[in-house]
Amino acid sequence: MNTDSYGNGLAIGKELDDPADAALYGKLTRRIVPFLFLAFVVAYIDRVNVSFAKLQMLADLSLSETVYGAGAGIFFVGYFIFEVPSNLILHRVGARLWIARIMVTWAVVSSLTVFVTDASSFYLLRFLLGIAEAGFFPGVVLYLSNWFPSQRRSQIIALFMAAIPVSGAIGGPLSGWLMAHLAGVHGIAGWRWLFLVEGLGSLVVGVAAFFVLTDRFADVRWLNAEEKSRIAADLARDALTRTHTSARGAFASVQVWLLGLLYFCIAMGNYGLAFWVPTIIKASGVASIGNIGLLSAVPSLVSVIAMIWIARHADRRNERRVHVALCCVIGAAGLLASVLCAANVTVSIAALVVAAIGINSIAPVFWGIPTALLGGAGAAAGLAVINCTGNLAGFVSPFIVGRLADLSGGKLLPGMLAIACALVVGAAIVLFMPSHRTSQRTFK
């Protein structure tokens, strides 16, 4: 019998192939995941569209690469401060109300970025955007853990997190088009239109969240009594292997903080990719903003297929540690190669594809670990602690790359080398995390 990463000791391969279970959880997936996927797409576009705005904004406002890096990253300071309180509120009031509140708030703040005039206002609005979005991702992960058992969770999280590369595939061309075609309309710069239009899109989805989401599977009408009973039984079996603790207990857990450190290394790669792909493509010789937007979609689209396949493979093999480590190394190698081969557009784009496959595939597998470990209020707090600790990399990553670029005369290699090192450290952490062989919660 296989054991899950910090898992449940179940022979999950048979369950994944059971036709009745497959039909039930397929129905659940079709009903729940598409809207959450859409919400994460618009969230991530609003989070990283600054990477495209940068191509015009820095010159318009006379800002340096260091200012851009700090502004891109200060989002995560606000995110860090309000992440745990936000997730604890979601645990109390329910996902429907709180996710809708998060989305509406961030849409308004993102749209207000149209009024940025200098470094100070840029910093302020990025900080407020982080506060507004705090709790969204761990809240959704917590929400999914209350609908899907752990043996299906990596692939479900992968379907949700496929929104990250899809947001790149959609957001890149859309951002490029908006900046190229709306520049100067009504005397407004293209990058300002970018923030306004994409922020309003998030507002629409945020309002819809209040009417689309349901807090508990027991309350939906599209599941019959037998289906609800089977889901409840699966989740009850999951609960036997979870550590149910208080929020204070999660804060005191060495295991939680170690997972947070690991996620920090993973997120260094995520945001290195998210905030610098347009700049890497431009450095390879592509001058047109529209073409940069289109080319930036290629790594994202290819990685969607890979990340879903890798997450499903991890679930079937019931193994997460090696999957995470290999993806970290692949992502690091791809990032470095994309910069080292910048003289050749084709090779550089191919390397970015490899980087995107590795980096985008890590988190869905990773999140199968803490969701199998934690339950109750401890899950709400623990997932938030892990996520906000990891997402501090959202500040560190762009700031380091921007600072090193300024110090090296605009070169991207030093920054990408720093991010690659973080990913390799992440691989080492996950491989050397202790195996608790004496308990059911085996890290495999």
Side-chain angles (χ1 to χ4, degrees):
M1 180 182 297
N2 291 329
T3 50
D4 181 69
S5 301
Y6 284 106
N8 49 31
L10 299 173
I12 64 168
K14 181 179 178 181
E15 292 190 9
L16 287 177
D17 292 330
D18 180 79
D21 271 359
L24 172 58
Y25 287 107
K27 179 180 181 179
L28 216 58
T29 301
R30 290 189 297 273
R31 286 281 190 163
I32 294 174
V33 174
F35 182 80
L36 294 174
F37 176 91
L38 173 63
F40 200 23
V41 166
V42 297
Y44 215 79
I45 287 176
D46 279 348
R47 183 185 297 186
V48 304
N49 57 10
V50 68
S51 67
F52 279 90
K54 165 186 184 285
L55 301 178
Q56 293 179 347
M57 184 175 66
L58 296 196
D60 280 1
L61 303 181
S62 301
L63 304 179
S64 69
E65 292 283 350
T66 301
V67 169
Y68 165 73
I74 204 170
F75 166 97
F76 297 96
V77 177
Y79 193 87
F80 177 84
I81 294 170
F82 287 90
E83 181 87 325
V84 174
S86 179
N87 221 36
L88 289 173
I89 293 172
L90 182 145
H91 182 66
R92 286 178 176 271
V93 306
R96 181 175 71 100
L97 175 63
W98 200 245
I99 288 176
R101 193 286 305 163
I102 290 171
M103 293 190 67
V104 169
T105 307
W106 95 50
V108 171
V109 175
S110 182
S111 297
L112 289 175
T113 311
V114 70
F115 297 110
V116 165
T117 57
D118 54 20
S120 296
S121 55
F122 179 48
Y123 292 157
L124 175 62
L125 283 166
R126 290 294 295 178
F127 178 74
L128 292 176
L129 186 63
I131 292 175
E133 195 183 318
F136 175 77
F137 178 81
V140 172
V141 171
L142 179 65
Y143 180 71
L144 291 173
S145 72
N146 292 327
W147 291 71
F148 294 90
S150 62
Q151 64 265 33
R152 295 180 179 274
R153 206 165 292 142
S154 285
Q155 55 194 297
I156 293 301
I157 293 174
L159 288 172
F160 168 61
M161 294 194 70
I164 293 177
V166 168
S167 71
I170 296 172
L174 175 62
S175 297
W177 187 90
L178 289 171
M179 290 171 65
H181 288 80
L182 295 184
V185 174
H186 300 299
I188 300 173
W191 63 269
R192 296 185 190 275
W193 278 114
L194 167 68
F195 287 118
L196 180 61
V197 173
E198 293 181 352
L200 291 176
S202 296
L203 181 63
V204 172
V205 178
V207 172
F210 183 79
F211 300 98
V212 172
L213 296 178
T214 305
D215 287 327
R216 299 179 300 171
F217 69 85
D219 297 332
V220 300
R221 297 179 179 179
W222 41 267
L223 289 173
N224 60 40
E226 180 186 351
E227 290 171 328
K228 292 177 182 179
S229 177
R230 286 168 61 190
I231 295 169
D234 286 345
L235 294 176
R237 184 174 54 191
D238 260 6
L240 296 176
T241 62
R242 287 182 176 181
T243 299
H244 288 262
T245 185
S246 64
R248 181 177 297 179
F251 276 103
S253 170
V254 173
Q255 196 173 56
V256 166
W257 289 105
L258 186 59
L259 287 168
L261 176 60
L262 170 57
Y263 196 51
F264 176 89
C265 295
I266 294 168
M268 283 289 289
N270 283 131
Y271 292 111
L273 194 68
F275 285 120
W276 298 96
V277 163
T279 304
I280 292 171
I281 294 174
K282 184 177 181 180
S284 70
V286 181
S288 165
I289 290 178
N291 289 338
I292 291 172
L294 291 172
L295 287 173
S296 71
V298 176
S300 299
L301 287 173
V302 176
S303 69
V304 171
I305 300 169
M307 69 187 291
I308 293 172
W309 182 87
I310 290 170
R312 184 164 180 80
H313 188 264
D315 275 349
R316 285 192 171 278
R317 292 292 299 273
N318 216 11
E319 195 291 315
R320 291 183 170 87
R321 186 170 63 174
V322 174
H323 282 77
V324 168
L326 284 176
C327 288
C328 283
V329 173
I330 290 169
L335 267 184
L336 283 178
S338 70
V339 178
L340 291 171
C341 301
N344 187 313
V345 176
T346 303
V347 176
S348 185
I349 296 295
L352 282 174
V353 169
V354 173
I357 288 172
I359 291 170
N360 289 332
S361 299
I362 305 169
V365 180
F366 167 82
W367 281 108
I369 298 170
T371 55
L373 271 174
L374 304 169
L383 294 178
V385 167
I386 292 166
N387 190 59
C388 69
T389 301
N391 273 294
L392 282 177
F395 175 78
V396 176
S397 179
F399 179 78
I400 284 179
V401 177
R403 185 60 178 161
L404 291 177
D406 278 341
L407 292 174
S408 62
K411 294 180 181 178
L412 287 172
L413 181 59
M416 292 303 114
L417 183 60
I419 290 173
C421 287
L423 286 168
V424 172
V425 169
I429 290 173
V430 74
L431 288 176
F432 288 100
M433 287 179 80
S435 297
H436 302 287
R437 299 292 185 188
T438 58
S439 76
Q440 265 191 306
R441 300 183 191 92
T442 301
F443 190 87
K444 182 179 176 185

